[in-house]
């Protein structure tokens, strides 16, 4: 799929206007439907805002990850105590703590992400770069938090196909799994090229976006047929031969699907060696 009709922007279209100051290194969570954004800071705590930058409430704890599950009347936060220990909190929308649970960071000072699943469950993933990742399915029931199931090492949640099926990937093994939910038994498995570092995100219907992180190339993948349908290429940013490696690479380092648009980004370095990011925006036809 060669995209020729797109606009370029120096502003991040995934961020509200009042929060364009946020950078990639910053940790935040967004709920577009309810137009709220939560900003995490291990030294300053957590702050929940509207898109117009109205402060709703704050928590004075070293928060390293957040999930705005507003439809459930919940805000999930991860408090880091040290490199080996965290606490997962569930708050209501007024900032009142509902439950908490201590967990060990077995990877050691990992980056942590929370993703919502049906039935009051959340996947927590500890990312350790070359050390892999570890994920667990957390359940919040009867005002108590518990670990419902631990996932195999390096398996990461992508999206739900339906209320009964979920998609997971393994970056290091370049594999994709369709699992039953909530039992998380593997129904289908697909192995990509050995050279791929595959990560996935939701797209449309039975399609997902697959990115090969080793060369920044992006594909549409059909989960039903387990086939790569097409590569997404923006005109002017076609893959080219890398000077060191033997394969083709792309300068599009991130690609997202949001609100009917494909949003790509690439980086340039200015004369002061600062990273400058640009975004390419293309509206897809239904």
């Amino acid at each position: 799929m060669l995209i020729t009709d797109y606009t370029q922007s120096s502003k991040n279209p995934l961020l509200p206007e009042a929060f364009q100051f946020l950078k990639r290194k910053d940790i935040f969570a967004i709920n577009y439907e309810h137009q709220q954004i939560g900003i995490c800071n291990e030294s300053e705590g957590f702050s929940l805002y509207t898109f117009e930058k109205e402060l709703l409430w704050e928590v004075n704890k070293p928060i390293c990850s957040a999930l705005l599950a507003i439809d459930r009347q919940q805000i999930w936060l991860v408090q880091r105590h040290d490199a080996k220990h965290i606490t997962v909190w569930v708050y209501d929308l007024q900032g009142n703590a509902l439950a908490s649970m201590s967990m060990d960071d077995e990877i050691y000072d990992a980056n942590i992400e929370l993703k919502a699943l049906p039935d009051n469950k959340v996947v927590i993933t500890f990312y350790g770069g070359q050390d892999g990742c570890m994920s667990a399915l957390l359940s919040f029931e009867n005002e108590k938090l518990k670990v419902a199931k631990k996932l195999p090492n390096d398996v990461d949640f992508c999206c739900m196909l339906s209320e009964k099926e979920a998609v997971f990937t393994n970056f290091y093994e370049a594999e994709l799994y369709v699992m039953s939910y909530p039992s998380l038994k593997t129904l289908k498995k697909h192995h990509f090229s050995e050279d791929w570092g595959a990560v996935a995100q939701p797209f449309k219907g039975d399609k997902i976006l697959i990115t090969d992180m080793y060369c920044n190339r992006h594909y549409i993948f059909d989960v039903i047929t387990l086939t790569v349908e097409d590569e997404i290429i923006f005109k002017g940013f076609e893959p080219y031969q890398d000077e060191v490696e033997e394969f083709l690479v792309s300068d599009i380092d991130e690609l997202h699907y949001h609100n009917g648009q494909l949003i790509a980004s690439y980086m340039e370095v200015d004369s002061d060696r600062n990273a400058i990011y640009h975004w390419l925006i293309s509206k897809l036809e239904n």
Side-chain angles (χ1 to χ4, degrees), residues 18 50 52 71 73-74 95 106 111 117 132 135 166 169 194 234 247 249 254 283:
T50 67
E52 288 73 36
D71 286 342
Q73 306 292 303
Q74 298 167 7
E106 298 180 31
N111 293 321
L117 284 85
S135 297
T169 56
E194 294 287 351
F234 283 75
F247 44 76
V249 299
E254 285 192 6
K283 186 169 182 61

Side-chain angles (χ1 to χ4, degrees), residues 11-12 15-21 51:
K11 293 183 178 181
N12 186 346
L15 286 175
E17 181 65 32
F19 292 88
Q20 287 294 320
F21 63 88
F51 277 10

Side-chain angles (χ1 to χ4, degrees), residues 3 201 209-211 218-219 232 234 252-257 262-265 280:
I3 297 176
Q201 59 180 301
L209 295 180
I210 294 287
T211 293
H218 313 274
Y219 304 88
I232 299 174
F234 283 75
I252 300 296
D253 57 0
E254 285 192 6
L255 181 69
H256 300 277
Y257 178 68
L262 280 174
I263 299 172
S265 66
L280 313 176

